[in-house]
Amino acid sequence: MAEIKLLSKEVSELIAAGEVIDRPASIIKELLENSIDAFASVVTVEIKNGGRTYIRVTDNGKGISKEDLPTAFLRHATSKINEKQDLENIMTLGFRGEALASICAVAKVDVLTKRPEDDFGTHYVIEGTQEVALEESGCPDGTTFLVRDIFYNVPARLKFLKKDVSEGNAVADLVSKIALSHPEVSFKFIRDNKIELLTAGDGKLYSAVYSVFGREFASSLMEVDYSYQGMRVTGYTVKPLSAKPNRRFQNFFVNHRYIKSKAMAAALEEAYRNQIMVGKFPACVLFVDAPPNTVDVNVHPTKTEVRFSNEKLMHEAVYFAVKNSLLMFDAPNKMTLDKGRHFSERELYEVPPKDTGTQMQFVTEPVKPAEPVKQVSQPVYSDNRAEPAKPSEPIVSKVELKKLDPEQIERAKQGEDIFLSQLDEPVPAAPEPVPEPVPEEPKPLTVEDMNRIVNELPAEPETSDENEGFKFINAQSFEKKQEPVTIQFAKKEEPKPIVIGELFKTFVIAQCGNEMILMDKHAAHERYIFEQIKDDANKLQPQFLLEPIMVLLSYPEYDAVCENLEKIAVLGFEVEPDTAPTVAVKGVPIILGDNDPTEVLCELAKNLMDNKINPQSEVFDDLYHSVACKAAIKANDDNSIAELQALLDAVYENDDIRYCPHGRPVIIKLTKRDIEKQFRRIV
């Protein structure tokens, strides 16, 4: 009797569905990917009881025709690829043709769909791969999927579902990831009749990040935009001081597909090396756009993992993109003071008297005749913004200019001072002027404003040959076209920090322009020494051993070491390949001391396998940290102002010295405006 039999359709469908659908979040992932591939701009996801009993996904995409709808639920039925060559250039999120077939195999499915060009929509019902209904129906453009009672026919899988809260959280996390990957789509997530997420769908990644993670997280991000050998890395990465206690906030997308990648996480964390606190991890929302023929997305049934044709290139692209962002946007931390108002006990506990209001009254007073004014040698200014005269001096208004003759008026317009003593008769004093509102202070002119003003000036009159040295206006002066004049300003020099003093024998106080600087002298000196040691250790001197040490590696580690013997030699190791997978260590770096070379070499091999830019073991960094910490000046040490000034000059403009080797900030700043606010000099 034959022992090998063909499985029934029902059993094979359930086994295949188990590879794609394992929880409600898996169903929503497949449906959301189909909505995005259908060019939807608005998508709504609603669940009840964690998605176990009710799932609804509605979009305004292009819909499905009545003829194609039953075929869409067949296994390996898709409209996204036709030939095997299409697998090399996949840009859609779905392409296997297994999603709908797997969903209907383990749940009850209702579909309402309509194309914009159709007069009627279609209602389709299928339960456990068995078609129940196919009929015309009225519905809006787009598609709505109703999925009920997941795993109703597979009780063995149903018992592995977690609590409704946990399953609902998994769905929320998934919707958040997809909302980040497509900021041009507006997503709404409803859990048990409550809206938990709503994105704008304006195409701006920052808006999606703000909606998903909130204001505090969004404000701690730095923009990333970098191109490297055909790959482009965009998105946001977090400032070192805002790092997270775990890796859950690391979000990577390849060609707008959310993936899980240890290689990309390693590249990200290497860029933050020696700039982040121990036990903290960087957060990010990074997009990698790569040619589709260099990315294999067909390596996992759920499509959450991809494979690059050149892992090293991808690693370098992410590393340099994040490193470039840190150098450009990670400025020294600025101190923020409390903006809240502090009330006294009297203001807090005493009740202010009730204001009953006052009736407005109008009083008419007789106007006193003006007295004649004595003649004084005081200039008459036509500018109404001039400072008022002293009370003992006469105030002359603009009206008095009418008493001047035409020649005096012209002289006044030219800016010449006209004194009262030059008039034929005394001028009566003007009545008390009504106080006018103080005009706004004019804004400083920009370079463009100056160029425009100069270009609008009349042309310079020509000079006659007969009267050399004299210029006059003729008819040709107005016909000549003036060449545009460009004003160039000298580049303003940046202010230099000046040490003012020291606080608690630990923090250096300095002023730089309109900013106050506080510098931790130990952290600054420690990082300065650390960078000097690293620069000098580019080629470490080896110490040769009397007898070689045989180190057993794994085969991948052995291959990595043999391919990078030159890099390892630069780090001070003398290594020769032996019988695979064993290598002979004949020399170790002097700085390694009593540390076990076997562990260090294994870590170096792992770093080389991960394509790290700097394959040095963390043991080296620990040694550098120790040397720098012991050599640096300490808190409570006595230092002169000249010493502190030299240290500040060495680290202030060095972009590599923003954090100590342990991740603590070196410099923080406080602006003059913030200080003035605290003293109520400005409001």
Side-chain angles (χ1 to χ4, degrees), residues 302-339:
T302 60
K303 302 183 289 291
T304 56
E305 297 179 9
V306 298
R307 184 168 52 194
F308 289 87
S309 60
N310 190 339
E311 290 280 345
K312 184 178 180 181
L313 178 61
M314 179 277 300
H315 186 280
E316 292 177 348
V318 174
Y319 172 84
F320 288 124
V322 175
K323 198 71 175 178
N324 182 67
S325 180
L326 287 171
L327 293 176
M328 289 181 60
F329 301 113
D330 183 28
N333 190 37
K334 288 192 176 182
M335 183 190 303
T336 57
L337 300 176
D338 184 14
K339 297 183 180 179

Side-chain angles (χ1 to χ4, degrees), residues 255-547:
N255 293 340
H256 294 273
R257 180 193 303 274
Y258 172 72
I259 66 165
K260 299 176 182 178
S261 174
K262 293 183 179 179
M264 296 178 72
L268 172 71
E269 293 174 14
E270 187 181 358
Y272 281 86
R273 193 171 182 178
N274 299 320
Q275 298 191 47
I276 202 168
M277 297 289 289
V278 177
K280 297 288 186 178
F281 300 91
C284 69
V285 181
L286 291 180
F287 289 76
V288 177
D289 294 328
N293 57 355
T294 64
V295 183
D296 185 3
V297 299
N298 193 24
V299 296
H300 196 276
T302 60
K303 302 183 289 291
T304 56
E305 297 179 9
V306 298
R307 184 168 52 194
F308 289 87
S309 60
N310 190 339
E311 290 280 345
K312 184 178 180 181
L313 178 61
M314 179 277 300
H315 186 280
E316 292 177 348
V318 174
Y319 172 84
F320 288 124
V322 175
K323 198 71 175 178
N324 182 67
S325 180
L326 287 171
L327 293 176
M328 289 181 60
F329 301 113
D330 183 28
N333 190 37
K334 288 192 176 182
M335 183 190 303
T336 57
L337 300 176
D338 184 14
K339 297 183 180 179
R341 182 183 174 189
H342 300 284
F343 295 91
S344 64
E345 293 185 0
R346 181 176 181 181
E347 292 176 309
L348 286 175
Y349 300 110
E350 289 189 4
V351 180
K354 185 177 181 181
D355 187 8
T356 57
T358 305
Q359 177 68 32
M360 183 180 293
Q361 298 179 353
F362 296 91
V363 179
T364 304
E365 295 183 358
V367 180
K368 297 181 180 180
E371 298 180 0
V373 182
K374 297 181 180 179
Q375 296 183 359
V376 293
S377 299
Q378 177 70 22
V380 179
Y381 298 101
S382 61
D383 188 359
N384 61 351
R385 291 182 296 176
E387 295 183 1
K390 296 180 181 179
S392 60
E393 297 175 347
I395 300 176
V396 184
S397 65
K398 288 183 177 181
V399 179
E400 296 169 355
L401 290 177
K402 295 182 179 180
K403 296 183 176 293
L404 302 176
D405 57 34
E407 181 180 356
Q408 292 173 331
I409 293 176
E410 188 65 23
R411 289 167 54 194
K413 290 182 179 180
Q414 297 295 329
E416 186 175 348
D417 295 337
I418 306 299
F419 294 88
L420 293 177
S421 59
Q422 298 177 0
L423 303 179
D424 297 332
E425 57 184 10
V427 180
E432 285 288 331
V434 179
E436 299 179 358
V438 180
E440 295 183 0
E441 188 173 336
K443 298 181 179 179
L445 293 177
T446 62
V447 178
E448 292 76 9
D449 295 335
M450 295 293 294
N451 289 332
R452 178 177 53 78
I453 294 173
V454 172
N455 293 330
E456 289 178 356
L457 294 175
E460 183 180 350
E462 295 183 355
T463 304
S464 173
D465 295 337
E466 297 178 358
N467 302 308
E468 187 175 359
F470 295 90
K471 299 181 179 180
F472 57 90
I473 299 176
N474 54 27
Q476 296 179 353
S477 300
F478 300 95
E479 297 176 357
K480 183 178 179 181
K481 294 183 179 179
Q482 181 74 12
E483 295 294 332
V485 180
T486 302
I487 299 177
Q488 295 183 352
F489 292 92
K491 185 178 180 181
K492 187 177 180 181
E493 294 185 0
E494 295 293 333
K496 300 293 183 181
I498 301 175
V499 174
I500 297 175
E502 192 176 4
L503 185 65
F504 310 130
K505 285 190 174 182
T506 304
F507 305 103
V508 179
I509 304 176
Q511 178 181 345
C512 184
N514 289 329
E515 293 180 330
M516 184 186 77
I517 297 173
L518 285 176
M519 180 184 70
D520 187 333
K521 65 179 184 181
H522 172 69
H525 197 205
E526 182 182 5
R527 185 55 187 253
Y528 179 77
I529 296 174
F530 177 77
E531 293 296 331
Q532 295 294 323
I533 295 175
K534 284 184 64 177
D535 291 341
D536 295 339
N538 286 335
K539 188 170 183 179
L540 298 176
Q541 295 296 326
Q543 178 181 3
F544 290 95
L545 305 175
L546 295 177
E547 294 183 1

